[in-house]
Amino acid sequence: MNPLHSLFPNIDDWGELGRACIDTLLMLGGSLALTVAIGLPLGVLLYLTGRSQLRAMPKLYGVTSLVVNVLRSVPFIILMIVLMPVTYVLVGTKLGVRGAIPPLVIGAAPFFARLVETALREVQQGVIEAAQAMGASTWQIVCHVLLPEARAGLWAGITVTAIALVGYTAMGGAIGSGGLGDLAYRYGYLSYKSDYMVVTVVLLVVLVQLLQMIGDRIVARYKRH
Amino acid sequence: MSARFATRITVIRFLDVHKSYRVDGKDIPALQPFSLDILDGEVFGIIGHSGAGKSTLIRLINLLERPSGGRILIGDTEMTALPEPALRAQRRRIGMIFQHFNLLASQTVADNVAFPLRLAGERDAAKIDARVGELLERVGLAEHAGKYPAQLSGGQKQRVGIARALANRPEILLCDEATSALDPQTTASVLDLLAAINRELKLTIVLITHEMDVVRRICDRVAVLDAGRIVESGTVADVFLHPRHATTRRFVDEALPEEAASALAPLAQVGGRVLRLTFRGATTLSPVLSRVMRESGVDFNLLAGRIDRIKELPYGQLTLTLEGTNADAALASLREAGIEIEELPR
């Protein structure tokens, strides 16, 4: 007899659990990639247009900052429900992995953008000035000074964002996005099969630990210099 | 000294330039209107206390700071009239080094030096490598090419800064307190390097500092900045040996504590006239003083003295008292021999 079965008698379809794992990883990977793709430029924009920065534009900064703050202050579960029509227009479904990605990205990108802004502010003003003195354009300063110099901070931000996204994907399970959160909610909570709860939580903990470890490694490598 | 630059071309020209900052709706003046010419191939020092406006002044040259009024010319190019892309191209003709080096921490020494070449659009890796090798050789860091700035000492970091600043073969090198974060020995070696670069590459150096010793060692001319105003300027020898403004005198006293007025306090107990004799160049090295004193039969009493160099110029400055009826004749002979004489108040 399967030893796992004797340990978790209520779990009768391990294949379903495996698929849920894969769904969670797909949601995480897809949303993280898009979050970085949108949040990084948004963070650079926040940084550049901020007070007494390279391209200070108080009005643009004010508007961007407000939008970012609004998106960050809406609880993710509400954001997901509110965005359902938008999600439908964007990906043609409100459900599953695809339906989960737009709200995940819209929820996480502003958060990541703030982390990017903070990381860029850590770059010494003098290094930027040196690049300006060498005749660098703003674009060159962003690509060759700000982003490389801030890479330890940026990777730390990506790690924190990835872990926040794990939490969001689990929440998404409650309204039909699938994945481990869905299993925990449907079987573990609604059907009182606490084994599901235990196994999914353990898997999520392992996932978060892994992400943190990988993130810490990358940050440590870039911090050495 | 002044004759040496009389025929030289002006490379940097400030015309009625002034600068103020807007803080909380009020204009705070940083630099009072001034005009200044910096000549081709000279080492020009700007000395001032912190807050005097010297960092603002040096940043006006490459327009890291925009003047509130007036014009700034580099050669024939009016920097203040250039649109952004043309200004960036002009900046490549002006190297700059900094007090805190401002190297890219994420890049190796070689990549830091290659950085301005890449910014200027150089894509040929072999050309970049060759130029970087040449520059690192020049500053004595060839064996550190693969290291990161964090692994270097302050002096080595500044040498990387110098190599980086020279990469695009600039005509002007700006030094923003380049030795202020370094210990005295390292300062001396960095100053020697800058002097050698000035000599060999014939490039114009503008440096700002709060140390008169830096000016004395490598500058040809100097401007003294006090509260946003140039209070004195001229050849280093003139300004250093005969300071007129109180701020200049303070800087000189800091550099030569034994010459400071306070050090001459026991003067009250000595009789006769108190004089300061200044020897420059060849007169420093000839026995003029002893000959004149012997011939005139005047007695002198040495109170303080110093023989040193200002850049390559030997000079001597002696403070002494004279007693004897022939004192005036003796002074006349000394003046005739090219010695500058000031009577000090007592």
Side-chain angles (χ1 to χ4, degrees):
Chain A
M1 202 178 174
N2 190 336
L4 279 174
H5 187 74
S6 57
L7 209 57
F8 304 108
N10 289 323
I11 302 179
D12 29 46
D13 189 354
W14 284 91
E16 190 184 14
L17 199 67
R19 279 191 299 281
C21 267
I22 290 170
D23 280 354
T24 291
L25 289 176
L26 284 175
M27 278 190 281
L28 175 64
S31 62
L32 184 62
L34 285 169
T35 296
V36 171
I38 293 171
L40 190 67
L42 192 60
V44 170
L45 180 75
L46 281 170
Y47 172 83
L48 288 177
T49 56
R51 235 173 91 99
S52 65
Q53 296 295 350
L54 282 172
R55 287 277 177 268
M57 283 181 259
K59 281 190 188 132
L60 181 58
Y61 181 82
V63 172
T64 320
S65 185
L66 182 70
V67 171
V68 163
N69 287 348
V70 167
L71 287 175
R72 283 188 60 193
S73 54
V74 179
F76 181 67
I77 191 103
I78 311 277
L79 188 72
M80 220 168 155
I81 295 165
V82 171
L83 285 176
M84 274 183 169
V86 179
T87 304
Y88 190 78
V89 171
L90 284 174
V91 293
T93 174
K94 298 172 194 170
L95 300 175
V97 170
R98 277 179 6 137
I101 285 180
L104 284 173
V105 173
I106 293 169
F111 170 68
F112 181 60
R114 280 290 183 211
L115 297 180
V116 169
E117 184 191 8
T118 313
L120 296 181
R121 285 211 186 133
E122 292 294 308
V123 175
Q124 290 207 1
Q125 212 55 42
V127 183
I128 297 163
E129 192 184 34
Q132 281 182 298
M134 287 180 237
S137 63
T138 303
W139 176 249
Q140 285 177 317
I141 290 175
V142 170
C143 296
H144 301 298
V145 179
L146 286 170
L147 296 179
E149 288 293 290
R151 59 194 181 178
L154 293 175
W155 278 105
I158 290 173
T159 309
V160 171
T161 306
I163 288 167
L165 277 170
V166 172
Y168 289 176
T169 60
M171 245 186 269
I175 51 170
S177 71
L180 289 170
D182 175 44
L183 283 196
Y185 181 68
R186 273 194 297 132
Y187 298 143
Y189 177 65
L190 296 178
S191 315
Y192 303 105
K193 293 179 181 172
S194 52
D195 341 17
Y196 270 100
M197 198 69 100
V198 171
V199 172
T200 52
V201 167
V202 167
L203 286 171
L204 288 171
V205 168
V206 169
L207 179 59
V208 167
Q209 280 293 331
L210 271 174
L211 288 170
Q212 188 68 53
M213 259 171 51
I214 296 167
D216 285 348
R217 284 255 171 110
I218 299 174
V219 171
R221 190 153 69 95
Y222 286 141
K223 271 231 167 110
R224 228 176 298 151
H225 316 309
Chain B
M1 285 298 278
S2 29
R4 201 181 133 195
F5 298 107
T7 54
R8 291 234 186 136
I9 311 157
T10 299
V11 277
I12 304 168
R13 171 163 282 174
F14 295 91
L15 288 168
D16 288 322
V17 172
H18 62 98
K19 170 79 185 177
S20 47
Y21 292 101
R22 217 167 163 74
V23 183
D24 299 330
K26 267 187 263 172
D27 280 328
I28 310 293
L31 285 172
Q32 304 290 341
F34 71 99
S35 293
L36 181 68
D37 282 0
I38 294 172
L39 306 175
D40 186 30
E42 75 175 326
V43 182
F44 193 93
I46 297 158
I47 189 166
H49 293 292
S50 53
K54 54 190 192 302
S55 339
T56 305
L57 203 160
I58 201 166
R59 281 167 176 71
L60 287 171
I61 297 172
N62 54 5
L63 254 67
L64 287 177
E65 294 277 5
R66 288 212 164 254
S68 310
R71 301 192 297 153
I72 295 158
L73 288 95
I74 307 273
D76 299 326
T77 312
E78 184 168 346
M79 297 291 279
T80 29
L82 293 177
E84 187 74 16
L87 174 62
R88 286 202 300 271
Q90 283 298 316
R91 280 179 177 160
R92 301 204 174 109
R93 295 169 55 199
I94 308 171
M96 189 166 188
I97 59 172
F98 302 87
Q99 177 173 10
H100 298 297
F101 325 119
N102 298 346
L103 302 175
L104 295 167
S106 61
Q107 312 288 320
T108 61
V109 165
D111 285 332
N112 267 286
V113 177
F115 186 52
L117 299 171
R118 296 196 175 114
L119 284 181
E122 181 59 71
R123 292 279 169 274
D124 186 338
K127 263 192 199 161
I128 292 178
D129 286 350
R131 182 75 183 130
V132 169
E134 194 180 302
L135 288 158
L136 289 179
E137 195 71 47
R138 182 70 196 78
V139 299
L141 287 178
E143 69 275 29
H144 298 291
K147 287 191 178 166
Y148 285 90
Q151 298 166 285
L152 302 180
S153 70
Q156 290 172 325
K157 284 182 199 167
Q158 195 58 287
R159 282 164 187 273
V160 178
I162 293 170
R164 180 177 73 174
L166 296 178
N168 280 324
R169 304 179 198 275
E171 294 141 52
I172 298 167
L173 178 63
L174 306 178
C175 309
D176 174 19
E177 295 271 9
T179 58
S180 299
L182 305 176
D183 62 62
Q185 249 182 326
T186 316
T187 294
S189 79
V190 168
L191 291 179
D192 286 346
L193 176 63
L194 289 175
I197 286 165
N198 166 251
R199 254 193 333 268
E200 292 160 25
L201 306 179
K202 312 263 180 272
L203 102 171
T204 309
I205 297 184
V206 182
L207 65 83
I208 61 171
T209 180
H210 60 267
E211 292 167 308
M212 198 65 191
D213 207 44
V214 170
V215 171
R216 184 178 66 82
R217 274 170 194 266
I218 68 163
C219 292
D220 298 302
R221 293 198 304 146
V222 62
V224 182
L225 207 54
D226 183 55
R229 209 181 291 273
I230 295 179
V231 293
E232 196 164 347
S233 67
T235 67
V236 174
D238 285 342
V239 173
F240 194 76
L241 297 174
H242 304 294
R244 287 193 300 272
H245 192 271
T247 304
T248 318
R249 241 173 272 135
R250 258 201 311 280
F251 278 120
V252 173
D253 287 349
E254 278 165 26
L256 312 170
E258 66 272 33
E259 306 274 289
S262 56
L264 298 177
L267 227 64
Q269 297 141 35
V270 200
R273 296 156 69 181
V274 182
L275 302 163
R276 180 155 59 209
L277 275 49
T278 305
F279 306 69
R280 291 197 210 188
T283 56
T284 316
L285 309 170
S286 61
V288 185
L289 185 60
S290 71
R291 179 176 54 76
V292 171
M293 294 300 156
R294 192 175 59 242
E295 287 169 0
S296 59
V298 171
D299 283 318
F300 71 95
N301 182 19
L302 204 52
L303 299 174
R306 176 187 186 90
I307 296 169
D308 208 332
R309 272 167 196 276
I310 295 171
K311 211 169 179 184
E312 308 97 38
L313 176 82
Y315 77 93
Q317 210 162 40
L318 301 177
T319 307
L320 43 77
T321 58
L322 279 193
E323 284 172 78
T325 46
N326 251 344
D328 282 325
L331 293 181
S333 318
L334 287 173
R335 281 206 179 89
E336 213 168 288
I339 292 167
E340 297 148 33
I341 300 172
E342 291 161 276
E343 183 127 19
L344 298 185
R346 45 177 312 157

